[in-house]
Amino acid sequence: MTASAVPGRRFWRIARKYAEVGRIALRSSWAYVWNQLLSTLFLVVVLYVFVQLWRVTFAAQGAVIDGYTLPEMIWYLVTTEAIILSFPRVHAVLEQEVKGGDLALRLSKPYAYLGFHYATFLGEALVKLAVMMLVGGVTARLMVGPIPFRWEAAPVLLLLYFTTHALNFFYIAAVGLLAFWVEEVIGLHLLFDKLKWILGGMLIPVQLYPDAVRRLVDWLPFRHMIGGPAELFVHFSWAGAADLLLHQALWLIVFGLVCTGIYRLGVRRVDLNGG
Amino acid sequence: MGKSLAFIGAYLRANLATALEYRVSLVSQVIGMLINNALWVFFWALYFSRFPVVRGWTLDDVVMLWAVVTTGYGLAVGLMGNVLRIPHLIAEGQLDYFLALPKNPLLHLLVSRMAVVNLGDLLFGPILLLVVVRPGAKTALVYALVTVLSALVLLGFLILIGSLTFFIGHADAVLGQVVNALVHFSTYPATIFDRGVRVILYTVLPAGLISTLPVELVREFDGIRLLWLAGSAAAFMGLGVWTFHRGLRRYESGNLMVMRS
């Protein structure tokens, strides 16, 4: 046995543990797949409204707006909606665990608190994403038709979903963990979540923003959390994918450190009593 | 009528006093909602910076729409904080408490809770109006009137939808989707939709009555259309209250022992 083999084996053992947590969450979520399908009714409504709004807009502006045709615009919105709607209510769960004391139970388990939740929420999110993309895709196909899709890009887009999910997870988990200090995080969540929506290009591609806003967006992480992956879904390029992955990796380090820091500071405030 | 208003007033004061006990939470939720709504308006500002007119609607109209819809929502859902919980209260047999007391059970359950976060919605409209629109006295008066009517349409619709639980049982998810759809449709001008959908938005899913019609009245006042809005508010409230009371006949006690604090 070499010295380097031991940490390597340890890494895979830990990775397997969290993969197993994710798998259980995925199977659990899959058991309620019909429920998930029912909840996509709202997605259909949202897409219908968007199709109407953009149909009117394209009718007035011409067939192409900043590189987007109507079908591309709608498929872009299908992707942003699927990313956002597939994301579980992380902040609410963490807030409840901090306030309700379930956190204390988790601390005694042989896993990292944030790692466990990341794996659980990823498992749930994958089922939701599949359902959202299916329903959203069928809706878009019926309303505006298909767009050319590069199937060879599918594995890269799936990988990008994992990194996108991780970024979103650490961002919102940091908000949820503020429950160590404030009674309710819903107000903070509304603020941070909508900031992400608007500056991340959830409702309208960032290219269509005024220059000043676009320059601001370039310095912020939000585009890499929603709009970036959706732009690649519609207009895929290998260079674009590499650029997005690089930015996501950098922001992941920042968010990971901030979230872990908040968790460590917060968990010091927990008092455990036997009983 | 006077007694009911005094009853509502007393409950609202008590609910507000309770919320004020958790001041940090109250402030953070209200500010969070104010910023949430402001960001939606910001989205529209971005949209209209690129496409200045959409089917005759400008940014000013959409700003007015948000002023009406948010305050209407704050009145109907913020102050009548249990309205979205009607399906849950019915399905879980938690109406017993309200039925045992000598007050109208529907009114009592509606006012017995305040949705603190939606107080942000309640305040957003007037703030938006004062900061962005800066209306004259007449516009402000029409705004106040149509917003109250819009809130009554919404309240009546939510009572109606919630009361369907008496007849179809556990259906929180479906009812939730209908409510979400209504709210979503009401944040867009109804003019962007096809004629068929517009008919739906002015009848069975009254998003047009909650948002577009009030905005058109503020933009260009018309007595006949105001009467139409007032009649719709009366119709939805009447239908909601009637359905709730019809449904009460089918209600079965939950026999729950619950500590109310």
Side-chain angles (χ1 to χ4, degrees), chain A residues 159-182:
Chain A
L159 170 69
L160 279 167
Y161 180 74
F162 281 86
T163 47
T164 304
H165 175 85
L167 264 181
N168 280 285
F169 170 79
F170 284 113
Y171 179 70
I172 294 300
V175 176
L177 289 172
L178 293 177
F180 280 116
W181 292 273
V182 296

Side-chain angles (χ1 to χ4, degrees), chain A residues 130-153:
Chain A
V131 172
M132 295 294 167
M133 284 306 289
L134 176 72
V135 174
V138 169
T139 309
R141 177 85 169 68
L142 292 174
M143 287 185 181
V144 294
I147 55 169
F149 181 72
R150 290 172 62 178
W151 286 99
E152 73 273 19

Side-chain angles (χ1 to χ4, degrees), chain A residues 222-244:
Chain A
F222 305 118
R223 185 178 186 178
H224 313 307
M225 298 162 77
I226 310 177
E231 287 164 27
L232 276 177
F233 185 87
V234 175
H235 297 137
F236 185 80
S237 76
W238 294 103
D243 184 60
L244 180 62

Side-chain angles (χ1 to χ4, degrees), chain A residues 131-273:
Chain A
V131 172
M132 295 294 167
M133 284 306 289
L134 176 72
V135 174
V138 169
T139 309
R141 177 85 169 68
L142 292 174
M143 287 185 181
V144 294
I147 55 169
F149 181 72
R150 290 172 62 178
W151 286 99
E152 73 273 19
V156 180
L157 290 172
L158 185 63
L159 170 69
L160 279 167
Y161 180 74
F162 281 86
T163 47
T164 304
H165 175 85
L167 264 181
N168 280 285
F169 170 79
F170 284 113
Y171 179 70
I172 294 300
V175 176
L177 289 172
L178 293 177
F180 280 116
W181 292 273
V182 296
E183 292 134 9
E184 301 270 352
V185 297
I186 184 170
L188 291 166
H189 176 256
L190 280 172
L191 164 63
F192 282 95
D193 204 38
K194 291 303 178 299
L195 203 60
K196 181 181 79 176
W197 283 24
I198 301 296
L199 296 177
M202 178 178 168
L203 301 163
I204 183 169
V206 172
Q207 291 99 305
L208 274 70
Y209 286 2
D211 283 344
V213 181
R214 213 165 50 212
R215 275 198 298 276
L216 172 71
V217 167
D218 285 342
W219 286 95
L220 298 171
F222 305 118
R223 185 178 186 178
H224 313 307
M225 298 162 77
I226 310 177
E231 287 164 27
L232 276 177
F233 185 87
V234 175
H235 297 137
F236 185 80
S237 76
W238 294 103
D243 184 60
L244 180 62
L245 263 177
L246 178 69
H247 280 96
Q248 285 187 332
L250 291 173
W251 281 109
L252 202 50
I253 292 168
V254 175
F255 284 1
L257 287 174
V258 169
C259 192
T260 310
I262 291 175
Y263 170 73
R264 287 198 174 155
L265 282 175
V267 89
R268 282 187 204 163
R269 298 166 60 92
V270 176
D271 292 319
L272 293 182
N273 297 304

Side-chain angles (χ1 to χ4, degrees), chain B residues 70-80 118 122 147-148 151 155:
Chain B
T70 51
T71 301
Y73 196 83
L75 287 170
V77 177
L79 299 187
M80 307 287 139
N118 298 116
L122 186 65
T147 301
V148 170
L155 185 63

Side-chain angles (χ1 to χ4, degrees), chain A residues 38-43 45-46 48-50 52-54 56-57 60-61 65-66 182-184 186-188 190-191 194-195 197-199 203-204 207-210 213, chain B residues 22-25 28-29 31-33 35-36 39-40 42-44 46-47 49-55 117 173-174 177-178 180-181 184-185 188 191-194 197:
Chain A
L38 181 67
S39 67
T40 56
L41 185 65
F42 182 59
L43 175 66
V45 170
V46 169
Y48 172 77
V49 172
F50 281 148
Q52 298 303 313
L53 177 67
W54 285 106
V56 170
T57 310
Q61 300 289 321
I65 298 174
D66 280 359
V182 296
E183 292 134 9
E184 301 270 352
I186 184 170
L188 291 166
L190 280 172
L191 164 63
K194 291 303 178 299
L195 203 60
W197 283 24
I198 301 296
L199 296 177
L203 301 163
I204 183 169
Q207 291 99 305
L208 274 70
Y209 286 2
V213 181
Chain B
Y22 303 93
R23 212 157 288 205
V24 175
S25 170
S28 73
Q29 290 186 63
I31 291 179
M33 185 56 85
I35 296 174
N36 168 62
L39 285 170
W40 277 106
F42 179 64
F43 155 71
W44 281 109
L46 290 176
Y47 176 88
S49 73
R50 187 67 200 269
F51 316 111
V53 183
V54 176
R55 288 261 169 99
V117 70
V174 176
Q177 300 276 353
V178 174
N180 280 341
H184 192 72
F185 273 113
Y188 289 81
T191 49
I192 64 171
F193 301 111
D194 302 333
V197 175

Side-chain angles (χ1 to χ4, degrees), chain B residues 57-106:
Chain B
W57 277 58
T58 62
L59 179 59
D60 289 348
D61 297 321
V62 173
V63 165
M64 183 56 76
L65 181 144
W66 273 84
V68 171
V69 171
T70 51
T71 301
Y73 196 83
L75 287 170
V77 177
L79 299 187
M80 307 287 139
N82 260 338
V83 69
L84 292 180
R85 297 181 71 234
I86 290 176
H88 174 77
L89 294 173
I90 296 168
E92 297 292 320
Q94 291 184 23
L95 294 186
D96 299 15
Y97 171 79
F98 303 103
L99 293 173
L101 293 172
K103 289 287 174 194
N104 181 307
L106 176 61

